[in-house]
Amino acid sequence: VARKLGAPAQPELAIGAVTANGGRYINEEIVRALGVSEGYLAAETERKLAEAEDREAHMRGACAKLPIEGRTVIVVDDGLATGATMRAALRSVRQAGAARVIAAAAVGARGSCAALEDEADRIVCPEQPELFFAVGQFYEDFEPTTEDEVRDLLAEARQGRVSA
């Protein structure tokens, strides 16, 4: 589970991201441009790390983590605005020993997709529009999937009965 580190007074602007296993990516350029303090960065990282750990535990339940060492791992996101959460997630699975890492998103800012080339073995992002303001602008319904819905889908997948 990756969680965005939001900018001060602009929580939707990612200044970085953290994963449940402690992986972290910081966009130093944005941090410098906004004058984000080390204190804010440390506090936001701690808060979001705890949130990621709680979410992962809640969604996983009693199930053990699947081994990814030596496997191909596809990391999926609804869209790539800054790419911060994707970058943190890619680093996390690479650190866990994935043999091949693929980043997949339905839509993304061109620059963000290109910036992931040094993190993933392959990037699949079919829609990279010229004018990109936010991921939500490309969806008719951008309501978030609830944790309970995700947990239920994961349970169904474990039992081999996921339907479209």
Side-chain angles (χ1 to χ4, degrees):
V1 174
R3 301 300 296 156
K4 172 176 37 183
L5 301 176
Q10 295 179 42
E12 288 305 311
L13 174 60
I15 58 173
V18 65
T19 61
N21 71 351
R24 186 171 91 153
Y25 163 71
I26 302 297
N27 186 321
E28 298 293 344
E29 186 177 322
I30 293 176
V31 167
R32 269 192 309 277
L34 296 177
V36 177
S37 72
E38 282 297 320
Y40 175 86
L41 198 52
E44 179 74 347
T45 297
E46 185 177 324
R47 186 171 71 84
K48 292 297 186 157
L49 176 58
E51 189 178 301
E53 290 169 343
D54 288 347
R55 279 187 134 187
E56 186 169 299
H58 177 72
M59 286 189 262
R60 186 178 305 288
C63 296
K65 290 182 179 182
L66 293 174
I68 61 173
E69 189 171 336
R71 294 183 175 191
T72 296
V73 176
I74 302 170
V75 180
V76 181
D77 201 338
D78 54 12
L80 304 172
T82 66
T85 54
M86 177 63 83
R87 188 179 294 258
L90 292 170
R91 288 180 180 183
S92 177
V93 297
R94 183 80 76 191
Q95 181 181 334
R100 189 162 189 253
V101 180
I102 300 169
V107 63
R110 289 179 183 177
S112 296
C113 294
L116 293 174
E117 290 177 1
D118 61 337
E119 303 285 348
D121 298 303
R122 182 168 181 209
I123 300 162
V124 178
C125 189
E127 296 294 325
Q128 296 181 36
E130 232 176 281
L131 294 176
F132 187 101
F133 300 107
V135 173
Q137 82 185 86
F138 300 98
Y139 286 85
E140 284 183 31
D141 179 0
F142 199 57
E143 287 298 313
T145 306
T146 69
E147 287 186 27
D148 288 338
E149 289 171 321
V150 172
R151 196 177 68 246
D152 291 347
L153 287 168
L154 290 171
E156 287 179 25
R158 285 184 207 101
Q159 295 174 8
R161 53 183 183 132
V162 173
S163 59

